[in-house]
Amino acid sequence: SLAVVFGTGLVFVNRWLTGPDGAHVFDVPASIVVTFSIAAAVVTLRRWMQASVAVMPSPRDRLLDRIGAGDGIRLSKVSSDNHHIRILTSDGAEHRIWMRLRDAGAEIDVEPGMFVHRSHWVALSEISRIEEEGGKEFVRLPGGAGVPIGPKYRPNLIEAGLLND
C-alpha cells in the first residue's frame, strides 16, 4: 500500500521536475512496481544483515538466571536444604533459594551432571573421584567435600563410567 502512495508520488514529482512535456521515465503502474521492488529488496537485505550480525547467547542453565549468576559461571553442585536449595557455582559462590530440588533439576538443561543422592545434584566436571568410607560410597569434589551416593542413584554413576558395578 505504501508502494502505491510513494510510486504515485514519484510520478508526480517526476512530472513536476521535468514539466508536462518532459521525458517521463515511468508511468504510475510502473512506478508502483519499481517502488515496491526497491522496498522489498531493502527490507530483505536489512533482515539478512541483522540475522548475520545477531549474536546468539551461549546456552545457559535457567537455574543460573534465577540466582543472577554472571556470564561464564557454571553450576557445580545443587543440594536440598529443608524447603530451600543450596547452589554452589564454579566461582565458589553459594546461593540459597526457596525451591524444591526436583524443580531445580528441571532448570539444569546445559551443564552435564546427575543426581547422586535424593538431596544432591553434582556437575560431572566437579567429580574428582569416588571413595568408599565406612561401607558407604561418596563422590568427592575438588575441595575434598564428600557427597553421599544413594543406592537409587548408583546406576547413574555406573552408566556414566564413574563407578564399577
Side-chain angles (χ1 to χ4, degrees):
S1 64
L2 287 177
V4 172
V5 173
F6 287 108
T8 306
L10 180 65
V11 169
F12 287 120
V13 168
N14 187 27
R15 287 187 183 162
W16 176 69
L17 290 175
T18 60
D21 298 320
H24 303 293
V25 179
F26 298 116
D27 58 352
V28 173
S31 292
I32 292 171
V33 170
V34 169
T35 304
F36 177 79
S37 300
I38 292 171
V42 168
V43 168
T44 303
L45 180 63
R46 188 171 177 190
R47 286 185 180 169
W48 176 78
M49 288 172 48
Q50 286 175 343
S52 65
V53 171
V55 177
M56 294 296 294
S58 61
R60 177 179 162 96
D61 291 303
R62 291 176 288 149
L63 189 58
L64 290 170
D65 292 333
R66 186 180 289 272
I67 61 172
D71 292 340
I73 303 296
R74 298 173 57 182
L75 291 171
S76 296
K77 182 178 88 166
V78 181
S79 299
S80 177
D81 182 16
N82 290 324
H83 296 291
H84 293 80
I85 59 168
R86 290 189 185 273
I87 303 166
L88 184 64
T89 55
S90 59
D91 62 348
E94 187 172 315
H95 307 270
R96 187 171 186 256
I97 61 173
W98 190 60
M99 183 179 204
R100 294 185 314 176
L101 184 61
R102 181 182 328 155
D103 296 335
E107 291 192 11
I108 303 171
D109 12 51
V110 176
E111 186 69 42
M114 67 182 71
F115 283 96
V116 296
H117 187 274
R118 69 178 179 197
S119 300
H120 302 284
W121 177 94
V122 179
L124 289 177
S125 62
E126 293 296 312
I127 298 176
S128 296
R129 62 190 179 282
I130 296 178
E131 293 180 344
E132 188 175 322
E133 191 176 294
K136 295 183 179 182
E137 294 174 311
F138 291 88
V139 169
R140 291 288 174 203
L141 305 178
V147 177
I149 298 173
K152 176 181 172 184
Y153 300 93
R154 194 172 191 278
N156 294 347
L157 293 159
I158 294 170
E159 187 177 323
L162 298 170
L163 190 60
N164 294 325
D165 196 10

